[in-house]
């Protein structure tokens, strides 16, 4: 007889070690799994707590390999424009808020997507002026790479001729040379610097964060990799999370990734089940987004013949990447278009060339990687490179990505099965607040390649559909691999932390179209029930 903290039994427990690997019971002690096996064998354990699953399905805890938690929390305090479907509705939604907001105070909207509007054009300052000329108004596109401001906001930003020159095309001008109110990429920082941060009060911040963690555990999330984006004032401060942790209020694991150089304090999770916060990667940018037509392409956009997107300066990237890598940091590089991927691979080769390659180091991460051509795929196979992909992007992008990229090139977009079959390791995320962090939705998107209304009927480029096992691994096992935590997290095996979720249906046996309806019944982190 052996005493343990918890015994989980009578479950259909998918360990995810390999496809189809099933056990009936887990014995957990001090946060770790010390036994995974049959019901009969589990009888040798005496547990303080016994959880009877009644045949329910269990998989490893899920996660998100790339999101912006601070931004999502900020958005919760702002005007949500995600469900808006026309220019008129956009105006109405913001006007409703303007009516209850003191004149002169900022109104900030987030998550708009003009591709959903019949007008299919970006709003401009004159659209927003219809809402109010007495409130400064700014709205940010769902992809984060475009911002629109009304006339008062532009006036308050006191933008000079010099700024317009400095941002070189990123501040849009009309034929008469007047600002249209559309700001792209780095130029959006003009407003981030003057619009007050809704989370500046510590109490408000903590309250919203705790609400968000509740939401996350209810979706089966046990770990997130959150990224700062200082260009948009999305700060990530490890101390905020460590404070919550020390107060016993933090239910999930958080890896904090920064876009400025930092000193990794080396605090790890290996031996302490109570530590759930640590540092992760150093983030760099190379291009924009496909939705905003700023992702960098080798050939121009098929629906905008002079536009190749925007790309960061080669030497700037080389230097920044080398600096971070030589300091021992793990670089994570945002790259969406094929020209950005190319530059990214060049820069990684350059850093390895200068510093040498050590197999013990964590791999280079490429974030998004939406358009990878065959030559680049070959290069990736030779390099220590992993990809942080967002399957749920497909549900939004499948409506317009064919026209952006044209029929030939679009074959290389979101080709996850091909990448996987070529041995490229990928982890799943949402880039939230770009999309929902619900991992079940991401799994649904990766398996069906349809939106949540079942469009298109056979899936978009169905030859690239992933199996349920592959898709679940994206959101569990592979996330652990990104940060070298595969020995302690990601699967339900002896010696690993007992992070797992109980589901109401078995994802491996239901119709793929119903994956999206799976509900999480319970979530455990290090053997402790958090939902
Ligand atoms: Zn991001």
């Amino acid at each position: 007889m052996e005493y343990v903290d918890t015994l989980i039994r009578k479950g259909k427990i998918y360990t995810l070690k390999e496809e189809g690997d099933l056990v009936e019971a887990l014995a957990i002690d001090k946060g770790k799994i010390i036994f995974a096996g049959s019901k009969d064998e589990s009888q040798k354990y005496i547990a303080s707590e016994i959880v009877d699953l009644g045949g329910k399905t269990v998989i490893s805890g899920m996660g998100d390999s790339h999101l912006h938690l601070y931004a999502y929390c900020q958005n919760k305090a702002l005007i949500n424009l995600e469900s808006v479907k026309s220019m008129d509705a956009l105006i109405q939604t913001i006007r409703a808020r303007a009516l209850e907001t003191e004149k002169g105070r900022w109104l900030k909207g987030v998550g708009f997507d003009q591709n959903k509007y019949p007008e299919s054009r970006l709003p401009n300052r004159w659209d927003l002026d219809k809402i109010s000329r007495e409130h400064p108004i700014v709205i940010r596109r769902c992809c984060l790479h475009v911002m629109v401001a009304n006339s008062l906001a532009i006036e308050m930003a006191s933008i000079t001729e010099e700024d317009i020159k400095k941002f070189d095309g990123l501040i849009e001008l009309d034929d008469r040379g007047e600002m249209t109110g559309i700001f792209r990429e780095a130029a959006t920082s003009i407003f981030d610097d003057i619009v007050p941060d809704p989370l500046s009060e510590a109490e408000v911040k903590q309250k919203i964060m705790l609400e968000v963690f509740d939401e996350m555990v209810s979706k089966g999330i046990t770990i997130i990799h959150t990224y700062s984006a200082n260009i948009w004032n999305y700060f990530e401060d490890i101390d905020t999370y460590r404070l919550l942790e020390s107060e016993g209020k933090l239910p999930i694991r958080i890896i904090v990734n920064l876009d400025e150089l930092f000193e990794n304090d080396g605090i790890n999770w290996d031996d302490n089940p109570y530590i759930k916060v640590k540092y992760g990667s150093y983030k760099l940018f190379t291009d924009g987004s496909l939705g905003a037509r700023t992702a960098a392409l080798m050939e121009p956009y098929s629906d905008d013949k002079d536009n190749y997107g925007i790309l960061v300066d080669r030497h700037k990237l080389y230097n920044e990447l080398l600096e971070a890598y030589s300091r021992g940091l793990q670089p994570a590089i945002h790259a969406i278009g094929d020209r950005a991927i190319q530059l990214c691979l060049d820069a990684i080769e350059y850093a390895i060339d200068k510093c040498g390659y050590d197999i013990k180091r964590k791999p280079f991460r490429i974030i998004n990687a939406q358009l990878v051509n065959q030559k680049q795929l070959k290069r990736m196979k030779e390099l220590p490179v992993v990809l942080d992909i967002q399957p749920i992007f497909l549900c939004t992008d499948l409506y317009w990505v064919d026209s952006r990229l044209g029929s030939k090139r679009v074959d290389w977009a979101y080709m996850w099965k091909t990448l996987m079959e070529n041995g490229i390791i990928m982890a799943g995320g949402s880039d939230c607040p770009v999309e929902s962090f619900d991992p079940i939705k991401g799994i649904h998107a990766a398996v069906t390649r349809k939106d949540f209304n079942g469009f298109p009927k056979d899936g978009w480029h169905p030859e690239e559909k992933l199996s349920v096992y592959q898709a679940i691994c994206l959101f569990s096992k592979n996330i652990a691999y990104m940060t070298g935590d595969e020995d302690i997290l990601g699967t339900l095996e002896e010696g690993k932390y007992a992070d797992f979720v109980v589901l109401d249906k078995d994802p491996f046996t239901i119709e793929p179209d119903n994956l999206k309806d799976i509900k999480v019944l319970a979530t455990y982190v290090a053997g402790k029930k958090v939902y």
Side-chain angles (χ1 to χ4, degrees):
M1 284 297 168
E2 210 179 308
Y3 289 90
V4 293
D5 293 335
T6 314
L7 191 61
I8 307 284
R9 61 180 194 189
K10 295 187 188 159
K12 198 174 174 189
I13 303 170
Y14 290 94
T15 68
L16 304 184
K17 196 171 122 190
E18 286 154 23
E19 180 154 16
D21 191 42
L22 263 171
V23 297
E24 296 166 308
L26 300 175
I28 300 161
D29 202 52
K30 295 184 189 67
K32 283 192 173 170
I33 298 169
I34 59 158
F35 164 84
S38 72
K39 185 176 76 209
D40 292 344
E41 290 168 282
S42 75
Q43 280 170 358
K44 67 176 181 228
Y45 295 101
I46 299 177
S48 319
E49 187 200 11
I50 294 177
V51 180
D52 228 317
L53 291 174
K56 293 255 155 47
T57 299
V58 168
I59 60 169
S60 190
M62 296 183 285
D64 196 305
S65 83
H66 178 88
L67 55 68
H68 305 278
L69 180 67
Y70 192 88
Y72 183 69
C73 292
Q74 273 183 333
N75 286 2
K76 295 208 69 134
L78 302 171
I79 310 166
N80 186 338
L81 302 171
E82 275 166 36
S83 55
V84 164
K85 298 232 163 51
S86 70
M87 199 67 80
D88 209 38
L90 175 94
I91 291 170
Q92 295 305 336
T93 308
I94 305 171
R95 185 176 286 151
R97 187 68 75 90
L99 289 172
E100 53 189 48
T101 306
E102 215 181 300
K103 284 176 187 158
R105 280 196 165 238
W106 283 88
L107 293 172
K108 187 173 174 186
V110 285
F112 85 84
D113 180 2
Q114 83 284 3
N115 289 316
K116 293 178 185 162
Y117 308 167
E119 297 89 347
S120 184
R121 65 166 175 87
L122 282 170
N124 56 40
R125 70 191 288 181
W126 300 287
D127 296 310
L128 300 187
D129 281 347
K130 288 181 201 154
I131 301 163
S132 169
R133 285 174 162 276
E134 287 156 322
H135 297 86
I137 305 172
V138 287
I139 56 172
R140 193 186 275 289
R141 194 175 182 278
C142 55
C143 68
L144 316 176
H145 297 261
V146 177
M147 208 178 219
V148 186
N150 75 343
S151 296
L152 184 57
I154 294 171
E155 193 185 312
M156 286 170 73
S158 349
I159 297 160
T160 60
E161 283 298 320
E162 248 164 61
D163 293 327
I164 294 175
K165 242 187 236 148
K166 184 180 95 188
F167 286 113
D168 190 26
L170 298 176
I171 300 178
E172 193 180 280
L173 304 175
D174 66 9
D175 300 340
R176 294 162 302 168
E178 210 180 325
M179 281 182 263
T180 64
I182 297 169
F183 295 77
R184 293 190 166 84
E185 305 301 331
T188 63
S189 66
I190 293 172
F191 296 100
D192 291 326
D193 291 342
I194 55 173
V195 182
D197 180 356
L199 302 184
S200 53
E201 280 172 60
E203 246 169 70
V204 177
K205 182 163 79 175
Q206 186 171 115
K207 185 178 158 276
I208 291 179
M209 277 187 175
L210 294 178
E211 282 168 19
V212 170
F213 293 142
D214 280 348
E215 218 179 302
M216 286 180 163
V217 290
S218 78
K219 302 291 181 202
I221 287 183
T222 57
I223 182 167
I224 58 167
H225 294 200
T226 185
Y227 281 73
S228 63
N230 284 340
I231 53 159
W232 298 318
N233 284 13
Y234 296 164
F235 309 113
E236 285 296 347
D237 175 11
I238 201 163
D239 294 334
T240 306
Y241 305 122
R242 288 203 166 137
L243 178 69
L244 291 172
E245 179 176 47
S246 70
E247 293 172 348
K249 292 177 184 163
L250 185 68
I252 59 168
R253 298 179 192 280
I254 299 191
I255 296 188
V256 179
N257 305 272
L258 302 175
D259 58 353
E260 55 199 347
L261 291 171
F262 60 96
E263 202 66 52
N264 191 334
D265 58 19
I267 289 183
N268 253 310
W269 294 337
D270 299 27
D271 301 308
N272 191 335
Y274 306 107
I275 294 180
K276 298 209 283 285
V277 182
K278 68 173 181 176
Y279 280 110
S281 315
Y282 168 67
K283 158 101 180 251
L284 295 127
F285 263 103
T286 56
D287 66 346
S289 79
L290 283 174
R293 294 193 188 85
T294 49
L297 304 180
M298 298 279 201
E299 300 296 328
Y301 280 84
S302 301
D303 57 0
D304 188 0
K305 295 291 183 202
D306 298 318
N307 185 3
Y308 290 79
I310 59 130
L311 189 65
V312 75
D313 177 73
R314 178 173 291 267
H315 295 285
K316 184 172 176 281
L317 181 72
Y318 277 27
N319 292 337
E320 287 178 357
L321 187 81
L322 182 62
E323 172 77 29
Y325 195 62
S326 57
R327 284 182 186 221
L329 296 172
Q330 177 188 30
I333 314 155
H334 165 112
I336 289 183
D338 52 357
R339 196 154 59 102
I341 300 281
Q342 187 91 350
L343 174 61
C344 199
L345 296 174
D346 291 348
I348 291 169
E349 278 173 359
Y350 173 78
I352 292 176
D353 209 39
K354 292 274 175 203
C355 295
Y357 175 59
D358 174 358
I359 192 146
K360 289 198 290 290
R361 285 198 68 164
K362 289 166 194 148
F364 290 85
R365 303 172 74 161
I366 300 180
I367 304 161
N368 305 110
Q370 276 156 260
L371 190 64
V372 179
N373 68 33
Q374 288 300 330
K375 264 195 196 146
Q376 294 165 349
L377 172 57
K378 271 205 194 102
R379 288 177 71 191
M380 270 182 195
K381 285 168 73 170
E382 304 300 317
L383 289 167
V385 164
V386 291
L387 309 182
D388 290 295
I389 62 164
Q390 294 73 26
I392 194 172
F393 276 16
L394 196 54
C395 304
T396 303
D397 299 1
L398 60 83
Y399 292 97
W400 45 257
V401 71
D402 294 85
S403 60
R404 288 275 196 289
L405 297 176
S407 59
K408 209 167 146 236
R409 190 166 44 171
V410 85
D411 286 351
W412 326 323
Y414 317 93
M415 52 166 192
W416 302 316
K417 189 168 180 211
T418 302
L419 288 163
M420 225 178 233
E421 282 174 351
N422 277 280
I424 309 292
I425 295 179
M426 296 179 284
S430 65
D431 215 351
C432 166
V434 179
E435 295 287 349
S436 156
F437 54 63
D438 183 350
I440 292 289
K441 286 190 177 161
I443 290 167
H444 179 95
V447 173
T448 66
R449 295 176 74 89
K450 299 178 195 181
D451 72 5
F452 301 109
N453 299 315
F455 177 82
K457 207 173 111 282
D458 298 317
W460 189 82
H461 290 248
E463 66 283 1
E464 292 289 343
K465 285 180 181 175
L466 296 187
S467 72
V468 172
Y469 175 71
Q470 288 170 327
I472 290 179
C473 285
L474 285 180
F475 287 89
S476 54
K477 191 176 179 173
N478 296 6
I479 291 182
Y481 184 82
M482 297 287 127
T483 44
D485 290 313
E486 64 272 23
D487 294 334
I488 51 167
L489 292 174
T491 60
L492 301 175
E493 293 177 81
E494 287 160 23
K496 295 198 185 186
Y497 283 118
D499 293 7
F500 61 92
V501 292
V502 185
L503 305 174
D504 72 338
K505 294 180 204 83
D506 181 348
F508 292 97
T509 58
I510 63 171
E511 273 299 309
D513 281 349
N514 299 332
L515 281 166
K516 63 179 187 314
D517 304 319
I518 292 177
K519 298 269 174 301
V520 170
L521 300 174
T523 304
Y524 288 76
V525 174
K528 196 176 152 231
K529 193 171 183 180
V530 293
Y531 170 69

Short mmCIF file of all heavy atoms in Angstrom, two decimals, residues 103-129:
data_model
loop_
_atom_site.label_atom_id
_atom_site.label_comp_id
_atom_site.label_asym_id
_atom_site.label_seq_id
_atom_site.Cartn_x
_atom_site.Cartn_y
_atom_site.Cartn_z
N LYS A 103 -17.98 64.36 -22.25
CA LYS A 103 -17.31 64.94 -23.42
C LYS A 103 -15.83 65.16 -23.12
O LYS A 103 -15.47 65.51 -22.00
CB LYS A 103 -17.97 66.26 -23.81
CG LYS A 103 -19.28 66.02 -24.52
CD LYS A 103 -20.02 67.29 -24.85
CE LYS A 103 -21.39 66.88 -25.40
NZ LYS A 103 -22.37 67.94 -25.28
N GLY A 104 -15.00 64.97 -24.13
CA GLY A 104 -13.57 65.16 -23.93
C GLY A 104 -12.84 63.89 -23.52
O GLY A 104 -11.62 63.80 -23.66
N ARG A 105 -13.59 62.91 -23.01
CA ARG A 105 -12.94 61.66 -22.62
C ARG A 105 -12.76 60.75 -23.83
O ARG A 105 -13.58 60.73 -24.73
CB ARG A 105 -13.80 60.93 -21.59
CG ARG A 105 -13.63 61.48 -20.20
CD ARG A 105 -14.19 60.49 -19.21
NE ARG A 105 -13.75 60.81 -17.87
CZ ARG A 105 -13.06 59.97 -17.10
NH1 ARG A 105 -12.75 58.76 -17.52
NH2 ARG A 105 -12.70 60.32 -15.91
N TRP A 106 -11.68 59.95 -23.78
CA TRP A 106 -11.36 59.06 -24.90
C TRP A 106 -12.35 57.91 -25.01
O TRP A 106 -12.76 57.34 -23.99
CB TRP A 106 -9.96 58.48 -24.74
CG TRP A 106 -8.89 59.45 -25.09
CD1 TRP A 106 -8.31 60.35 -24.24
CD2 TRP A 106 -8.29 59.64 -26.37
NE1 TRP A 106 -7.38 61.09 -24.92
CE2 TRP A 106 -7.34 60.68 -26.22
CE3 TRP A 106 -8.45 59.04 -27.62
CZ2 TRP A 106 -6.55 61.11 -27.28
CZ3 TRP A 106 -7.67 59.49 -28.68
CH2 TRP A 106 -6.73 60.51 -28.51
N LEU A 107 -12.68 57.57 -26.26
CA LEU A 107 -13.44 56.34 -26.52
C LEU A 107 -12.53 55.45 -27.35
O LEU A 107 -11.99 55.89 -28.37
CB LEU A 107 -14.71 56.65 -27.32
CG LEU A 107 -15.78 57.48 -26.62
CD1 LEU A 107 -16.87 57.86 -27.60
CD2 LEU A 107 -16.37 56.70 -25.44
N LYS A 108 -12.35 54.23 -26.89
CA LYS A 108 -11.47 53.33 -27.65
C LYS A 108 -12.21 52.03 -27.93
O LYS A 108 -12.75 51.39 -27.02
CB LYS A 108 -10.19 53.06 -26.86
CG LYS A 108 -9.17 52.28 -27.66
CD LYS A 108 -7.84 52.18 -26.95
CE LYS A 108 -6.89 51.27 -27.72
NZ LYS A 108 -5.65 51.02 -27.01
N GLY A 109 -12.26 51.68 -29.20
CA GLY A 109 -12.90 50.43 -29.62
C GLY A 109 -11.85 49.44 -30.08
O GLY A 109 -10.79 49.84 -30.57
N VAL A 110 -12.15 48.16 -29.94
CA VAL A 110 -11.19 47.15 -30.37
C VAL A 110 -11.90 46.01 -31.11
O VAL A 110 -13.07 45.74 -30.87
CB VAL A 110 -10.43 46.55 -29.17
CG1 VAL A 110 -9.39 47.52 -28.65
CG2 VAL A 110 -11.37 46.11 -28.06
N GLY A 111 -11.14 45.36 -31.99
CA GLY A 111 -11.62 44.12 -32.61
C GLY A 111 -12.46 44.31 -33.86
O GLY A 111 -13.08 43.36 -34.31
N PHE A 112 -12.46 45.51 -34.48
CA PHE A 112 -13.29 45.63 -35.69
C PHE A 112 -12.64 44.90 -36.86
O PHE A 112 -11.43 44.71 -36.90
CB PHE A 112 -13.56 47.12 -36.02
CG PHE A 112 -12.47 47.79 -36.82
CD1 PHE A 112 -12.43 47.68 -38.21
CD2 PHE A 112 -11.49 48.55 -36.19
CE1 PHE A 112 -11.42 48.31 -38.94
CE2 PHE A 112 -10.49 49.18 -36.92
CZ PHE A 112 -10.45 49.05 -38.30
N ASP A 113 -13.46 44.46 -37.80
CA ASP A 113 -12.97 43.75 -38.97
C ASP A 113 -13.83 44.14 -40.17
O ASP A 113 -14.94 43.65 -40.34
CB ASP A 113 -13.05 42.23 -38.74
CG ASP A 113 -12.54 41.45 -39.93
OD1 ASP A 113 -12.10 42.07 -40.91
OD2 ASP A 113 -12.58 40.20 -39.88
N GLN A 114 -13.28 45.03 -41.01
CA GLN A 114 -14.07 45.55 -42.14
C GLN A 114 -14.38 44.45 -43.15
O GLN A 114 -15.29 44.61 -43.96
CB GLN A 114 -13.33 46.71 -42.81
CG GLN A 114 -12.25 46.33 -43.83
CD GLN A 114 -10.95 45.83 -43.20
OE1 GLN A 114 -10.83 45.71 -41.98
NE2 GLN A 114 -9.96 45.52 -44.03
N ASN A 115 -13.66 43.33 -43.11
CA ASN A 115 -13.96 42.25 -44.05
C ASN A 115 -15.35 41.66 -43.80
O ASN A 115 -15.90 40.98 -44.65
CB ASN A 115 -12.91 41.15 -43.96
CG ASN A 115 -11.58 41.60 -44.52
OD1 ASN A 115 -11.53 42.23 -45.59
ND2 ASN A 115 -10.51 41.34 -43.80
N LYS A 116 -15.91 41.90 -42.61
CA LYS A 116 -17.25 41.39 -42.30
C LYS A 116 -18.33 42.37 -42.78
O LYS A 116 -19.50 42.06 -42.69
CB LYS A 116 -17.40 41.24 -40.78
CG LYS A 116 -16.53 40.17 -40.14
CD LYS A 116 -16.78 40.20 -38.63
CE LYS A 116 -15.86 39.26 -37.87
NZ LYS A 116 -15.81 39.61 -36.43
N TYR A 117 -17.94 43.58 -43.21
CA TYR A 117 -18.94 44.59 -43.58
C TYR A 117 -19.26 44.48 -45.06
O TYR A 117 -18.35 44.24 -45.87
CB TYR A 117 -18.42 46.01 -43.30
CG TYR A 117 -17.88 46.26 -41.92
CD1 TYR A 117 -17.15 47.40 -41.63
CD2 TYR A 117 -18.10 45.35 -40.88
CE1 TYR A 117 -16.64 47.64 -40.36
CE2 TYR A 117 -17.60 45.58 -39.61
CZ TYR A 117 -16.86 46.72 -39.36
OH TYR A 117 -16.35 46.95 -38.11
N PRO A 118 -20.54 44.73 -45.44
CA PRO A 118 -20.87 44.75 -46.88
C PRO A 118 -20.00 45.78 -47.61
O PRO A 118 -19.59 45.56 -48.75
CB PRO A 118 -22.34 45.14 -46.92
CG PRO A 118 -22.85 45.16 -45.52
CD PRO A 118 -21.71 45.00 -44.59
N GLU A 119 -19.66 46.89 -46.93
CA GLU A 119 -18.85 47.94 -47.55
C GLU A 119 -17.43 47.45 -47.82
O GLU A 119 -16.76 47.91 -48.74
CB GLU A 119 -18.76 49.18 -46.63
CG GLU A 119 -20.09 49.87 -46.36
CD GLU A 119 -20.81 49.30 -45.14
OE1 GLU A 119 -20.40 48.22 -44.65
OE2 GLU A 119 -21.77 49.94 -44.67
N SER A 120 -16.95 46.54 -46.96
CA SER A 120 -15.63 45.92 -47.11
C SER A 120 -14.48 46.92 -47.25
O SER A 120 -13.46 46.63 -47.85
CB SER A 120 -15.66 44.96 -48.30
OG SER A 120 -14.45 44.29 -48.41
N ARG A 121 -14.66 48.15 -46.74
CA ARG A 121 -13.55 49.11 -46.74
C ARG A 121 -13.28 49.50 -45.29
O ARG A 121 -14.14 49.33 -44.42
CB ARG A 121 -13.90 50.36 -47.55
CG ARG A 121 -15.05 51.15 -46.94
CD ARG A 121 -15.17 52.56 -47.53
NE ARG A 121 -16.35 53.23 -47.01
CZ ARG A 121 -16.38 53.93 -45.88
NH1 ARG A 121 -15.29 54.07 -45.14
NH2 ARG A 121 -17.50 54.51 -45.46
N LEU A 122 -12.06 49.99 -45.06
CA LEU A 122 -11.74 50.43 -43.71
C LEU A 122 -12.55 51.67 -43.35
O LEU A 122 -12.76 52.54 -44.21
CB LEU A 122 -10.25 50.78 -43.61
CG LEU A 122 -9.26 49.63 -43.50
CD1 LEU A 122 -7.83 50.16 -43.66
CD2 LEU A 122 -9.38 48.90 -42.17
N PRO A 123 -13.00 51.80 -42.13
CA PRO A 123 -13.61 53.06 -41.72
C PRO A 123 -12.54 54.15 -41.75
O PRO A 123 -11.33 53.84 -41.72
CB PRO A 123 -14.08 52.81 -40.28
CG PRO A 123 -13.56 51.48 -39.88
CD PRO A 123 -12.95 50.80 -41.06
N ASN A 124 -12.95 55.43 -41.77
CA ASN A 124 -11.99 56.51 -41.75
C ASN A 124 -12.43 57.58 -40.74
O ASN A 124 -13.43 57.40 -40.05
CB ASN A 124 -11.80 57.10 -43.16
CG ASN A 124 -13.13 57.56 -43.75
OD1 ASN A 124 -13.95 58.14 -43.04
ND2 ASN A 124 -13.33 57.28 -45.01
N ARG A 125 -11.67 58.69 -40.69
CA ARG A 125 -11.96 59.70 -39.66
C ARG A 125 -13.37 60.26 -39.80
O ARG A 125 -14.03 60.59 -38.82
CB ARG A 125 -10.93 60.84 -39.73
CG ARG A 125 -11.08 61.70 -40.97
CD ARG A 125 -9.92 62.64 -41.14
NE ARG A 125 -9.88 63.73 -40.19
CZ ARG A 125 -8.93 64.68 -40.21
NH1 ARG A 125 -7.95 64.60 -41.10
NH2 ARG A 125 -8.95 65.64 -39.35
N TRP A 126 -13.83 60.39 -41.07
CA TRP A 126 -15.14 61.01 -41.30
C TRP A 126 -16.27 60.09 -40.85
O TRP A 126 -17.30 60.55 -40.39
CB TRP A 126 -15.26 61.42 -42.78
CG TRP A 126 -14.17 62.40 -43.13
CD1 TRP A 126 -14.11 63.71 -42.74
CD2 TRP A 126 -12.96 62.12 -43.84
NE1 TRP A 126 -12.93 64.28 -43.19
CE2 TRP A 126 -12.20 63.33 -43.87
CE3 TRP A 126 -12.43 60.99 -44.46
CZ2 TRP A 126 -10.96 63.42 -44.50
CZ3 TRP A 126 -11.20 61.09 -45.09
CH2 TRP A 126 -10.46 62.29 -45.10
N ASP A 127 -16.06 58.78 -40.96
CA ASP A 127 -17.05 57.83 -40.41
C ASP A 127 -17.15 58.02 -38.90
O ASP A 127 -18.23 58.07 -38.33
CB ASP A 127 -16.65 56.38 -40.71
CG ASP A 127 -16.64 56.07 -42.20
OD1 ASP A 127 -17.64 56.38 -42.85
OD2 ASP A 127 -15.62 55.53 -42.69
N LEU A 128 -15.98 58.10 -38.27
CA LEU A 128 -15.97 58.21 -36.80
C LEU A 128 -16.45 59.58 -36.34
O LEU A 128 -17.01 59.71 -35.24
CB LEU A 128 -14.57 57.91 -36.24
CG LEU A 128 -14.01 56.51 -36.55
CD1 LEU A 128 -12.70 56.30 -35.79
CD2 LEU A 128 -14.99 55.40 -36.19
N ASP A 129 -16.26 60.60 -37.18
CA ASP A 129 -16.76 61.94 -36.82
C ASP A 129 -18.28 61.95 -36.71
O ASP A 129 -18.85 62.78 -35.99
CB ASP A 129 -16.31 62.98 -37.86
CG ASP A 129 -14.86 63.39 -37.65
OD1 ASP A 129 -14.30 63.06 -36.57
OD2 ASP A 129 -14.27 64.02 -38.54
#
